[in-house]
Amino acid sequence: MEAGLNSVQSWSDLIGPEKEKPYFKGILDFVNARRAVAQVYPPPAKVFEAIRLCPLDRLKVVIVGQDPYHGPGQAHGLSFSVQPGVKPPPSLLNIYQELQSDLGIPPARHGYLKHWADQGVLLLNSVLTVERSKPKSHADCGWEQFTDKVIEMINLHCLGTVFLLWGSPAQKKGRQIDSSRHLVLKSPHPSPYSADRGFFGCRHFSRCNSYLEETGRKAIDWALPDLLTQKVAFGPGDTGAHPALFAFLRLEGSIPVVGFPFQDFDNTRSALTVFAGGKNFQPVLLGYLNNRLSWAHFKAEIVVGDIDLKGVVCRLVGHGLWFLRSLEVSW
């Protein structure tokens, strides 16, 4: 048995008509109206990212989440996933713990799950938008009806899909799934509040892969590769009454890195933010500043993910007594 299609060829065939219905247009009107007065996640271009990254002809697994993360810079359209450089949330850390127990895979150093989506894992939230610091703020606006339809169409038109349903909301959403056509695996949610009630030890990842292989398909590589990084070194600076840093920049590797303004200095350690094409990434390693010397040496790994950074200006911006000058490098 091969996973994939029956009577449809693409997501457009499967759910295209749904997007023409009045309720769906009502969802979009509601979300657009809220964006005008509140911070809504994920950005408009990422709302349907789960579907975009997982073409129907590659679909093997569906992992159902609830609503997107509601913190700045977290949500990007994939359930349980966060953007490169953002600290993995507790539920995702518990997923990593179960992966290690089940398959011996060490926890990833990031929470960016695109590697799973690229292999045919649909990381689908029940609700596709949320407002900052307001969990479930877009529940009942219509998204549940739309994502119910997505699951219904997969159930009817695909064969041999693995559904991982963690927590009662996901299991309620999956009541319609025909277990004679698909593998349905259920457990408590990986949240710290429920993971020890049956998520830990569920072995869903190995059971999923065994089913895929038994039905003639390639198993999912659940091990997340390290994100593409560039190592950057700064120093030494010039001397003077005030310890100003006139930095030089060294890039190890051939892929350009975007501008990285330094922020939030306390004269002991630095916080680093990376901006790429309007996207905001946090560092995986912080540099240190010696507040007694007239120069500083920084080393940082800059997460750039899969963003095309060609032609972007790289800028080191200083502020306060420590940073009185700036350096710009462009490619």
Side-chain angles (χ1 to χ4, degrees), residues 70-307:
H70 54 83
Q74 291 183 304
H76 65 110
L78 304 182
S79 63
F80 295 101
S81 179
V82 292
Q83 296 195 68
V86 176
K87 182 180 179 180
S91 292
L92 184 53
L93 293 177
N94 284 342
I95 291 171
Y96 290 167
Q97 183 175 332
E98 176 59 22
L99 264 174
Q100 185 168 31
S101 173
D102 187 11
L103 293 173
I105 297 173
R109 296 189 296 175
H110 60 87
Y112 189 51
L113 305 183
K114 181 176 179 293
H115 178 63
W116 295 358
D118 289 340
Q119 299 175 79
V121 180
L122 179 66
L123 296 162
L124 182 69
N125 278 318
S126 296
V127 176
L128 301 188
T129 55
V130 72
E131 292 177 25
R132 179 173 180 170
S133 303
K134 295 182 179 180
K136 301 183 180 179
S137 52
H138 288 192
D140 302 319
C141 79
W143 282 128
E144 293 95 334
Q145 182 177 347
F146 173 71
T147 52
D148 281 349
K149 179 60 68 171
V150 172
I151 292 176
E152 177 187 341
M153 292 294 98
I154 294 171
N155 178 53
L156 293 175
H157 297 284
C158 297
L159 185 64
T161 305
V162 182
F163 288 87
L164 305 185
L165 305 180
W166 299 331
S168 56
Q171 290 161 24
K172 180 179 179 181
K173 201 170 189 67
R175 288 181 301 187
Q176 61 185 300
I177 300 168
D178 182 352
S179 59
S180 69
R181 293 172 52 84
H182 308 281
L183 177 64
V184 180
L185 300 177
K186 301 177 183 179
S187 82
H189 194 275
S191 162
Y193 300 105
S194 57
D196 60 356
R197 296 203 296 265
F199 177 77
F200 292 140
C202 69
R203 302 185 64 84
H204 280 184
F205 302 102
S206 61
R207 292 168 66 186
C208 169
N209 279 354
S210 294
Y211 177 79
L212 292 175
E213 292 176 335
E214 288 168 3
T215 52
R217 290 163 293 163
K218 186 177 180 180
I220 301 297
D221 175 16
W222 297 106
L224 296 170
D226 286 341
L227 295 176
L228 178 65
T229 63
Q230 292 291 336
K231 294 183 179 180
V232 184
F234 301 96
D238 61 350
T239 59
H242 299 294
L245 174 67
F246 185 70
F248 70 88
L249 175 66
R250 183 175 77 249
L251 296 179
E252 298 178 359
S254 60
I255 298 178
V257 178
V258 74
F260 25 106
F262 283 79
Q263 301 172 345
D264 302 327
F265 283 96
D266 62 2
N267 286 350
T268 302
R269 62 190 311 171
S270 67
L272 179 62
T273 303
V274 181
F275 296 91
K279 296 180 175 62
N280 191 353
F281 299 94
Q282 298 298 323
V284 294
L285 179 65
L286 297 180
Y288 291 86
L289 172 64
N290 185 333
N291 63 359
R292 300 189 60 186
L293 300 178
S294 61
W295 60 272
H297 190 79
F298 289 84
K299 291 184 178 179
E301 288 187 335
I302 315 299
V303 178
V304 298
D306 60 351
I307 307 301

